[in-house]
Amino acid sequence: RGNREVVTICADLCDVAQYAHPGDAKVVVCMGDTLTHLPNQDTVRRLFADVFNVLEKGGLFALTFSDLSLEATDLDRFIPIRSDAERIMTCFLEFSAETVTVHDLIHVRARDGWQVSSSAAVIPIHPP
């Protein structure tokens, strides 16, 4: 409603303190499974503290992420993320007693066929 200025910044979310001063932000948004790809829980804690510091009083930190508390089985472990004529991204979840490993597979169409890149992040199921 009305004329509200929206500033978007394409950067590493963990660098939020470099792009906003304490109390400057009305809203900070973290969509998708970004949190699960951070290297460890200390990084997540630092991120939350930095976001808290840049938010104005009463500001909003909006997060979305997949619920990994229930084990996916069989074909439900494969999650199509996005696709178009040139790219296909799929995640595969691998559950153990203490962690979930999220494997990202990205297929990119090249002149000589499809090229695949992959990465993985290990996420604790029951953080300490």
Side-chain angles (χ1 to χ4, degrees):
R1 295 180 197 164
N3 295 326
R4 296 183 186 190
E5 181 182 357
V6 174
V7 177
T8 59
I9 299 170
C10 181
D12 186 330
L13 185 64
C14 290
D15 295 333
V16 66
Q18 293 180 26
Y19 298 99
H21 295 88
D24 277 354
K26 295 178 189 273
V27 178
V28 175
V29 179
C30 177
M31 306 303 279
D33 282 334
T34 301
L35 292 178
T36 60
H37 285 82
L38 295 178
N40 54 54
Q41 292 178 8
D42 287 337
T43 303
V44 174
R45 285 185 195 96
R46 277 193 305 278
L47 170 64
F48 279 41
D50 288 346
V51 169
F52 179 80
N53 287 331
V54 301
L55 283 173
E56 68 179 22
K57 186 175 180 174
L60 177 68
F61 185 22
L63 299 162
T64 65
F65 48 88
S66 298
D67 179 2
L68 299 174
S69 63
L70 297 175
E71 182 174 350
T73 59
D74 302 322
L75 293 177
D76 290 338
R77 297 177 297 159
F78 293 87
I79 305 168
I81 303 298
R82 182 181 168 143
S83 65
D84 59 33
E86 303 301 318
R87 290 176 195 83
I88 302 169
M89 181 173 182
T90 305
C91 286
F92 170 78
L93 304 177
E94 185 177 23
F95 288 80
S96 72
E98 299 295 322
T99 63
V100 178
T101 303
V102 179
H103 302 271
D104 294 325
L105 301 170
I106 302 173
H107 295 76
V108 178
R109 186 186 305 271
R111 287 184 178 193
D112 57 345
W114 290 92
Q115 296 179 346
V116 180
S117 62
S118 61
S119 65
V122 179
I123 301 143
I125 297 175
H126 307 287

